[in-house]
Every structure is written in structure tokens, then in C-alpha cells.
Amino acid sequence: MTTSPTSGIRDAGDLRHQLVEQLLAHNHIRSAAVERAFRTVSRHLFAPEVPLAAAYADDIVATRHLGDGTITSSLSAPWLQAGMLEAARIQPGHRVLEIGSGGYNAALIAELAGPPGHVTTLDIDPAVTGRAIRFLPEAGYDNVSVVTADAEHLPPGVVPAGGFDAIVVTVDTWDLPWIDALVDGGRLVAPLRLHG
Ligand SMILES: C[S@@+](CC[C@H](N)C(=O)[O-])C[C@H]1O[C@@H](n2cnc3c(N)ncnc32)[C@H](O)[C@@H]1O
């Protein structure tokens, strides 16, 4: 374990691997590919406003608030991201759409899809996409397309020929208007609300 000689604070790598051990122990991570992605991507680079320990807690990091304190954007909790990524079964070469951008989850998806794949992440809030545009290349992911739009109507040109292999929805939804944007046999993972 790496500690600062003066403060004893653990470094980002130690905290990242400790988080992965927690996610494995609770069975949120179940595949080697998802484990590798979580061990590789530095979450703190997508949440520079919080201390390292908060960036590597198994909890959301709120990144955007309304004046009354209501959270309008966050990095989702790692346990939820791990579960959704396991369900999405993303393979190298897949073209993947993430709806709702924090940057970090798009980087995890980029690790799973690999260089032959492609990730598009889309958010309605330009401040959120602005963060993703800034943080993704800083973290080493410069091949993710970041789109500002309302996901209810995907802009022309966003859907690749034939459709996405997987769509990961990280916005609460009561409808699935994206089914037609999938290839045959593609997977859509969403936190669906039924009857409220
Ligand atoms: C939980 S956050 C995204 C989390 C991120 N994908 C992650 O896993 O860390 C949800 C995001 O959905 C965005 N959002 C809400 N409604 C939307 C819509 N209609 N179209 C696109 N994005 C939307 C919000 O701006 C917010 O940034």
C-alpha cells in the first residue's frame, strides 16, 4: 500500500483497487473484463472537486446542482455502474451509446469496447458534456464522441449504420424510445420505472 510519508493518505491507485475488491466481494463485478475496466480507469479525474476518498467511495459524486441544492447530475455509484455494465455484456468492437454523461462511465465503456469499438455519450446539459469533453482526453480517452442533446430525440447522425450494439441508459426513464437505435440482438440496459 502506498502512503504519503507525512499524511498517511492512501494514493488513488490503492483506493481504486480497494473499491474493486469491494465490488467483487459484493458480486457487483462478475467478469474479468469489467474488473479490468474498473482497475484501469481513474475515477478521481472525473470528479476533481471532491477529495480522493470521496472519488473512490462506492457512492454517487454529485457534480451539478440547482440553486435549491437539488442534484441534477452525478457520477453514478460504482455498484450500479458495475451491475449495468455486466448486464450490457459489452465486447471489444462494440458501438455503444451511453445516455447521461459523467465521463467516468464512458471511459469504463471505452475500456470494454476497446480501440475497435466506439463510445458515444449524450447529455442534455452542456455543462455536463463540457466536463466530459475536458476530462475524457485528460484521462486518456480521446476517442469518445460527446453529444449535447435531449435523449428523447437522438440527433441525426448519432446512430451508426446498423445501430448500436449496446445502449446504457443512466437517466431515469419510463419509456424506451431507443429500441430502434439498436442492432438486432443488441442490449439496452436502463433503470426503467413502471407505473411510477
Ligand atoms: C446520473 S447522471 C449520469 C451518470 C453517468 N452516466 C455516470 O454513470 O456516471 C444523469 C444525467 O442524465 C442527464 N439527463 C437528464 N435528462 C436527460 C435527457 N432527457 N437527455 C439527455 N440527458 C439527460 C442529466 O443531465 C445527468 O447528467
Side-chain angles (χ1 to χ4, degrees), residues 73 98-102 121-126 128-129 147-150 171:
S73 191
E98 180 195 35
I99 296 179
S101 308
T121 184
L122 178 147
D123 202 286
I124 199 168
D125 182 344
V128 174
T129 50
V147 178
T148 306
D150 185 341
V171 180

Side-chain angles (χ1 to χ4, degrees), residues 40-64:
T40 304
V41 183
S42 295
R43 194 172 193 245
H44 68 285
L45 299 180
F46 299 91
E49 60 271 74
V50 300
L52 276 184
Y56 288 101
D58 192 8
D59 200 356
I60 70 161
V61 176
T63 53
R64 295 273 294 154

Side-chain angles (χ1 to χ4, degrees), residues 113-138:
H118 189 74
V119 183
T120 302
T121 184
L122 178 147
D123 202 286
I124 199 168
D125 182 344
V128 174
T129 50
R131 288 173 62 101
I133 287 166
R134 198 164 78 246
F135 297 150
L136 279 161
E138 283 175 10

Side-chain angles (χ1 to χ4, degrees), residues 81-108:
Q81 292 173 319
M84 292 182 78
L85 294 178
E86 291 288 3
R89 296 191 201 154
I90 295 161
Q91 303 295 318
H94 273 182
R95 294 165 304 179
V96 185
L97 173 64
E98 180 195 35
I99 296 179
S101 308
Y104 174 61
N105 200 45
L108 292 171

